[in-house]
Amino acid sequence: MNQYRSKRNITLILDMIGISLSFIVALSIRFSLLTKTIGVDVIVSTYVSFFAYALLIYVFIFLFKDNPRLERMSYREIIFKTVEQQFLFVVTYIVFFFVFHKADVISRLVIGFFFVCNVLLCSFARIMYHNYCVYKTNKEREK
């Protein structure tokens, strides 16, 4: 009886897609739909550069950290683990604003939308991947 094991690289790719989509949604809601002001390009470029730094740190930490296998986790554990990881990612992101003395351009709406979208998209992707792993395991057992 072989068990299909989740792969760290696939989980990382799913997270990166979810995080990037969340970032795009948060910025577009805040700076395209809610307000159009002079200087938005400067603010958005600051957000993008800090996002790139935070994402690189997230990838390096994720690759060197021992992550529990998704196929062994319950939905609740997956969601709590995702909330924890995304909270740390958003805190890292905010720290860049203070380190580079750009704290005056932080938008609470962007950070809020960003965190909520991160948790929703990453949790959804991980749960779908968990279901895929369980499905593959059950298919192997039937053989």
Side-chain angles (χ1 to χ4, degrees):
M1 286 189 191
N2 291 336
Q3 185 175 19
Y4 187 82
R5 296 172 55 135
S6 62
K7 294 176 177 64
R8 178 188 310 208
N9 293 342
I10 293 175
T11 306
L12 178 60
I13 290 169
L14 292 172
D15 281 357
M16 287 177 57
I17 291 170
I19 289 169
S20 298
L21 287 174
S22 300
F23 182 70
I24 292 167
V25 167
L27 280 183
S28 64
I29 287 174
R30 175 63 173 101
F31 292 112
S32 296
L33 301 176
L34 294 180
T35 185
K36 297 204 187 263
T37 60
I38 299 173
V40 169
D41 295 335
V42 173
I43 293 171
V44 170
S45 65
T46 302
Y47 274 80
V48 171
S49 61
F50 293 168
F51 173 75
Y53 299 147
L55 190 60
L56 284 173
I57 289 172
Y58 181 80
V59 168
F60 285 127
I61 289 173
F62 195 92
L63 288 176
F64 294 113
K65 192 171 129 182
D66 186 31
N67 293 323
R69 298 283 181 190
L70 285 178
E71 72 275 0
R72 296 181 186 162
M73 299 171 75
S74 68
Y75 291 156
R76 184 180 213 186
E77 290 172 324
I78 291 171
I79 292 170
F80 282 134
K81 186 72 170 172
T82 304
V83 168
E84 174 187 325
Q85 287 176 338
Q86 297 312 313
F87 179 75
L88 292 175
F89 178 78
V90 170
V91 167
T92 303
Y93 183 60
I94 292 170
V95 165
F96 279 115
F97 284 93
F98 287 98
V99 168
F100 291 107
H101 305 288
K102 299 283 187 179
D104 55 334
V105 298
I106 291 179
S107 169
R108 292 179 302 236
L109 286 173
V110 171
I111 300 299
F113 287 138
F114 185 43
F115 178 70
V116 170
C117 288
N118 274 352
V119 169
L120 291 175
L121 290 175
C122 291
S123 294
F124 179 73
R126 288 179 179 195
I127 287 172
M128 295 304 291
Y129 187 53
H130 164 80
N131 289 339
Y132 174 76
C133 293
V134 170
Y135 170 76
K136 291 292 277 188
T137 299
N138 291 338
K139 196 171 184 179
E140 288 291 322
R141 288 182 183 167
E142 289 176 1
K143 288 183 179 181

